[in-house]
Amino acid sequence: MTVLGAIALPQLPPDRLRAVVQAADESGLEELWLWEDCFLTSGVATMAAALAWSDRLKVGVGLLPVPLRNVAIAAMEFATLHRLFPGRAHIGVGHGVQDWMGQVGARVSSPMTLLREHVTALRQLLAGERVTVDGRYVHLDGVALDWPPTAAAPVLVGASGPKTLRLAGEIGDGVIISAGNTPDDVRAARAVIGDVPLVVYLHTATGPGAAERMERERVNWGYPTIVDRAVTGDADEVAEQVGRWAGAGADTVVLQPAPDDPDPEGFVRFAATVAAIRRGTPATAR
């Protein structure tokens, strides 16, 4: 059965995150996902807080841009999260938005090479290995974590184009693709990445003004049409539509609200209701 989650966008002020986490927790939502977009909120800080505010909620963060982090620091951060909250942290990395990486002086000439080197070393460190590597961008000399995770610590990799998808399927423990991908796009991605877990974000709107919010998203993201790129409607309608992305190969579908959604707490409750409908155990929608 496809897992269904929801995103708390970083456009939400950080001081409002706790209420969203509590709403997700109380509603029975299985997974809450966070982003680290420049220059909004830290993915690691918000993930740690969200995990601490719940005893059961699984929290994902995707994506953390690898150019912003030395791989040893990333491994220390991720290992700490996995040991503090075993089995509840889903961590995704990617090469970042190149314009943003340029703004902070972290843009590299070969993002693909950096991503390969970083993820390879990161997975080795999280597996408890002592790592020595002298790559184009990643350099480690006998580095090992004193407190590696005590269980498997998967690293998901974000991807878009065919080359990055192929690399992500090769080096990652799973792949994340952004909202705006149609069911046919998901099928194509699945064909490229193989059998690794696939997380798909999905533009979603419900309630009054849903269609208008999706039209603004279409303009914001530059889509020629919003058809097959988003879902709108009540919980039953969205649950039915989500099945198209699940049937195309998504192992996890994460409902992504518009940044101007008027009720972030209500949105995660709505996502929990959609998930319950798909499981055959309806709950109360917002």
Side-chain angles (χ1 to χ4, degrees):
M1 186 74 180
T2 301
V3 174
L4 193 138
I7 296 173
L9 292 173
Q11 286 82 0
L12 185 73
D15 41 293
R16 287 196 59 188
L17 179 61
R18 185 167 191 163
V20 174
V21 172
Q22 290 173 334
D25 209 20
E26 293 164 1
S27 65
L29 186 70
E30 187 172 349
E31 293 187 0
L32 181 70
W33 284 74
L34 308 168
W35 289 0
E36 184 175 84
D37 275 2
C38 297
F39 299 94
L40 295 164
T41 56
S42 157
V44 172
T46 51
M47 173 179 250
L51 288 164
W53 288 328
S54 169
D55 292 327
R56 50 153 291 276
L57 189 65
K58 294 180 180 179
V59 179
V61 60
L63 298 169
L64 298 168
V66 299
L68 297 182
R69 286 178 174 80
N70 179 281
V71 69
I73 292 295
M76 291 162 61
E77 291 176 327
F78 302 165
T80 300
L81 288 167
H82 280 292
R83 288 186 72 110
L84 288 172
F85 310 102
R88 292 174 53 210
H90 298 317
I91 296 171
V93 300
H95 50 53
V97 176
Q98 295 307 294
D99 286 346
W100 288 341
M101 298 304 100
Q103 277 185 275
V104 299
R107 186 168 186 165
V108 298
S109 58
S110 180
M112 296 277 282
T113 301
L114 171 58
L115 188 61
R116 177 185 290 278
E117 292 181 358
H118 188 107
V119 173
T120 300
L122 178 61
R123 292 180 68 203
Q124 291 172 332
L125 289 167
L126 292 175
E129 299 178 21
R130 184 170 299 278
V131 182
T132 296
V133 59
D134 186 21
R136 181 172 176 182
Y137 299 110
V138 174
H139 306 276
L140 298 172
D141 183 7
V143 176
L145 299 176
D146 286 310
W147 299 108
T150 55
V155 177
L156 308 179
V157 180
S160 52
K163 290 182 180 179
T164 313
L165 280 167
R166 192 171 295 108
L167 177 63
E170 175 189 343
I171 64 174
D173 297 299
V175 177
I176 301 172
I177 62 174
S178 65
N181 282 285
T182 69
D184 284 344
D185 294 331
V186 173
R187 290 187 188 91
R190 170 58 73 194
V192 171
I193 68 174
D195 294 331
V196 301
L198 177 60
V199 178
V200 178
Y201 295 155
L202 179 59
H203 292 297
T204 307
T206 188
E212 291 79 5
R213 288 196 296 280
M214 281 300 97
E215 173 58 17
R216 288 191 288 273
E217 284 289 79
R218 183 195 70 77
V219 173
N220 180 54
W221 290 91
Y223 303 140
T225 176
I226 202 67
V227 175
D228 281 347
R229 299 181 189 275
V231 296
T232 59
D234 63 22
D236 287 306
E237 292 169 325
V238 169
E240 182 177 359
Q241 294 175 71
V242 163
R244 298 180 60 215
W245 278 262
D251 297 294
T252 300
V253 176
V254 187
L255 304 187
Q256 177 178 320
D260 57 353
D261 188 287
D263 185 6
E265 295 86 356
F267 185 85
V268 297
R269 294 189 188 99
F270 172 79
T273 300
V274 173
I277 292 170
R278 287 189 52 78
R279 291 193 304 267
T281 55
T284 301
R286 68 170 177 177

